[in-house]
Amino acid sequence: MNRRTMLATAAAIGIGFVTLATAASADGLPPLEKKDRYKVGFSQMESNNPWRIAETKSFHDTAEKCGWDLIATDAAGSAAKQVADVDSMIAQGIDVLFLPPREEKPLIPAVMKAKAAGIPTFLVDRSVDPNVARPGEHFVAFLGSDFIDQGRRVAEWTLENFKGEKGIIVELEGTTGSSPANDRRKGFDDVMAQHDNMTIVASQSGDFARDLGRQVMETLLQAHPDVNIVYAHNDEMAIGAIQALELAGRKPGEDVLIVSIDGTRDALQAIIDGKMGVTVESSPFFGPLACEVMQRYANGETIEPWVQVKDRIFTSANAAENLAGAY
Ligand code: GZL
């Protein structure tokens, strides 16, 4: 059962539970009273790439117009510190929590503690293990993209645009245990498994980071000098891979196809320069959506378990026109 089905099933069960719970006991979701100003917690996982920086800025830019007294923390890449940061914000008496959980399992305690403290939680940009914590039951909803579909769309574009006979693929995975890494791998790999001329010869985490992506690419290139497709779970690692390939005398965009996800400014420029083929958008601008969904919840609406963000696709056909708005 893939995440989408699981979420839908959980949602059906969740909505059932919430309905029952609200009717039968106080085990339902914590409410959010309607008021002019809210103390809002935003627990950022790290600030080591343009995506994270853009997301945090989006929350700060939204705060005033949405009546938020914003408390934003930065866990510097540590899931344990992110849990501690949430504890601290609970102790400070936040009214609502927006949480991008760095990894699916370690952040479960933060979700459970917020609920136990009567604080409604919205997961943004990443989710938690749906076998343990569910929307509509343990947190209000997940606001984010369909990561399986992102991986699938990258694979489909690759199949349509790869010019070689046999694809020798190196995959640079995102943060181990994170929902985007799990799902982007599933979406891409499941499509490629249906094509005998496509082989994923190596798949290793670069932790969504440019420099580690470069280092991992250097290592994998030694073992697989015949690589002709690189699939990176985010643009930062794709840019790092391009650096590694060029240092080794390869010509990204000519003798190796680079495909990725996010839509950062550097990725759009790499597409314009002919070094990257495609990047499927995964927008970091969650502030306005967080404001809208929180207001709906405060108005007493039942929020859909997955507030899905739609993603564009950037190629040589539209990269230049979208560069100005990129981050
Ligand atoms: C996606 C987000 C991912 C981005 C990466 O919603 O969780 O984390 O794709 C970022 O760039 O590090």
Side-chain angles (χ1 to χ4, degrees):
M1 185 190 290
N2 71 27
R3 170 181 299 277
R4 184 201 304 256
T5 315
M6 203 177 286
L7 270 178
T9 307
I13 295 169
I15 286 174
F17 280 174
V18 166
T19 309
L20 283 175
T22 312
S25 76
D27 278 352
L29 289 167
L32 184 61
E33 66 168 302
K34 205 162 167 54
K35 53 186 187 178
D36 292 338
R37 291 199 71 80
Y38 294 90
K39 189 181 278 190
V40 172
F42 173 61
S43 164
Q44 184 54 282
M45 64 184 75
E46 57 214 1
S47 298
N48 65 339
N49 73 53
W51 199 99
R52 290 285 148 205
I53 292 166
E55 183 184 49
T56 301
K57 183 177 184 305
S58 177
F59 272 84
H60 282 292
D61 291 350
T62 300
E64 205 37 54
K65 54 179 160 264
C66 205
W68 295 349
D69 296 319
L70 183 65
I71 300 173
T73 57
D74 181 342
S78 159
K81 183 179 181 304
Q82 193 173 20
V83 173
D85 289 343
V86 170
D87 282 344
S88 162
M89 287 193 275
I90 291 170
Q92 293 176 64
I94 55 173
D95 297 306
V96 63
L97 174 64
F98 290 105
L99 172 67
R102 188 171 196 272
E103 296 146 45
E104 286 197 343
K105 298 184 190 304
L107 269 295
I108 294 282
V111 171
M112 298 308 188
K113 287 178 190 175
K115 176 177 178 180
I119 298 166
T121 294
F122 298 87
L123 299 187
V124 288
D125 109 52
R126 293 188 191 176
S127 196
V128 293
D129 183 347
N131 296 304
V132 182
R134 286 170 289 281
E137 188 184 345
H138 302 99
F139 55 93
V140 180
F142 164 59
L143 285 56
S145 295
D146 181 339
F147 302 127
I148 293 176
D149 194 49
Q150 290 174 338
R152 185 181 302 123
R153 290 171 75 186
V154 173
E156 287 161 357
W157 187 92
T158 302
L159 290 166
E160 286 162 21
N161 292 275
F162 176 63
K163 301 285 182 274
E165 287 295 309
K166 289 185 64 56
I168 308 297
I169 305 171
V170 159
E171 184 167 348
L172 299 176
E173 301 176 13
T175 298
T176 302
S178 69
S179 53
N182 292 339
D183 290 354
R184 287 170 182 172
R185 176 170 183 168
K186 175 172 178 49
F188 182 90
D189 293 13
D190 286 358
V191 170
M192 288 309 188
Q194 297 161 29
H195 296 267
D196 294 341
N197 68 324
M198 290 287 172
T199 307
I200 299 170
V201 295
S203 191
Q204 189 175 328
S205 177
D207 202 24
F208 283 128
R210 180 177 299 201
D211 200 49
L212 188 54
R214 179 185 57 75
Q215 294 171 40
V216 168
M217 189 67 233
E218 282 171 359
T219 305
L220 295 180
L221 191 53
Q222 300 288 330
H224 303 282
D226 54 348
V227 59
N228 54 22
I229 297 171
V230 175
Y231 166 46
H233 289 185
N234 83 331
D235 292 339
E236 279 298 285
M237 295 189 295
I239 300 294
I242 287 171
Q243 292 169 346
L245 288 157
E246 290 181 324
L247 280 169
R250 299 293 297 274
K251 296 192 181 323
E254 291 176 36
D255 60 18
V256 51
L257 182 61
I258 312 293
V259 295
S260 182
I261 297 171
D262 271 348
T264 64
R265 179 185 304 276
D266 287 352
L268 296 187
Q269 190 59 58
I271 290 173
I272 293 164
D273 297 342
K275 296 182 179 180
M276 187 186 288
V278 64
T279 183
V280 170
E281 183 181 32
S282 199
S283 172
F285 305 115
F286 278 93
L289 181 63
C291 177
E292 176 204 326
V293 174
M294 174 183 152
Q295 287 176 338
R296 286 175 52 204
Y297 191 63
N299 289 336
E301 278 188 49
T302 298
I303 305 301
E304 59 277 25
W306 180 4
V307 181
Q308 188 176 343
V309 174
K310 298 296 182 193
D311 305 314
R312 295 171 289 177
I313 187 165
F314 298 118
T315 66
S316 57
N318 65 354
E321 73 195 56
N322 285 285
L323 194 60
Y327 50 96

